[in-house]
């Protein structure tokens, strides 16, 4: 836990937030500024700065992140498809330096993203 990290403080319960999912490795919250009808952040409980820090040893965590995203997409009824994206660093548009996947759905997505 990194005490000055917003998402670590949510993971620990220090900052209360409604969790869409929570287990030993991963939790999920609805984005405060949704960019689609479904906009959920799926995050590791442990602090990892971004996808740039991941190694092969994180395979179990990544499997959990993806499977939880798929479960939430199903729960939210995103039969038509959805998008999973993780911004890395300033050029990637990352604003909170704790790894998170954005699960976006409920509308048609555009490509390329901005
Ligand atoms: P990033 O810009 O790092 O890829 O994504 C960070 C996301 O966290 C943004 O979409 C932003 O709206 C969301 N966010 C920032 N602060 C909060 C908060 O206090 N609560 C929730 N639920 N989401 C937040
Ligand atoms: Zn953190």
């Amino acid at each position: 836990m990194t005490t000055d990290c917003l998402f670590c403080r949510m993971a620990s319960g220090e900052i209360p937030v409604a969790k869409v999912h929570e287990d030993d490795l991963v939790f999920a919250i609805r984005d405060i500024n949704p960019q689609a009808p479904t906009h959920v952040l799926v995050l590791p409980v442990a602090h990892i700065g971004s996808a740039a820090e991941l190694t092969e040893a994180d395979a179990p965590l990544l499997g959990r992140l993806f499977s939880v995203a798929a479960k939430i997409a199903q729960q939210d009824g995103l039969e038509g498809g959805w998008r999973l994206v993780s911004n890395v660093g300033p050029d990637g548009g990352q604003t909170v330096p704790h790894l998170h996947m954005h699960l976006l759905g409920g509308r048609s997505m555009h490509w390329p993203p901005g």
Side-chain angles (χ1 to χ4, degrees):
M1 152 114 179
T2 304
T3 50
D4 60 355
C5 171
L6 173 68
F7 291 157
C8 280
R9 295 170 77 191
M10 289 179 175
S12 70
E14 184 189 336
I15 296 177
V17 63
K19 290 176 179 161
V20 180
H21 172 95
E22 187 171 25
D23 63 44
D24 57 325
L25 289 178
V26 164
F27 70 107
I29 59 174
R30 296 207 182 265
D31 198 289
I32 201 169
N33 183 23
Q35 301 301 311
T38 287
H39 188 171
V40 170
L41 304 176
V42 190
L43 317 84
V45 172
H47 184 85
I48 296 173
S50 77
E53 297 179 13
L54 292 167
T55 70
E56 283 198 37
D58 296 304
L61 168 66
L62 291 170
R64 188 73 62 81
L65 281 167
F66 275 80
S67 62
V68 166
K71 184 195 78 167
I72 295 168
Q74 188 173 31
Q75 283 174 354
D76 270 24
L78 306 181
E79 288 92 0
W82 38 282
R83 179 170 292 171
L84 204 54
V85 64
S86 190
N87 300 325
V88 178
D91 282 359
Q94 185 178 12
T95 59
V96 181
H98 176 130
L99 174 67
H100 49 280
M101 310 289 294
H102 296 258
L103 168 63
L104 295 152
R107 67 169 171 83
S108 178
M109 296 293 150
H110 308 290
W111 195 263

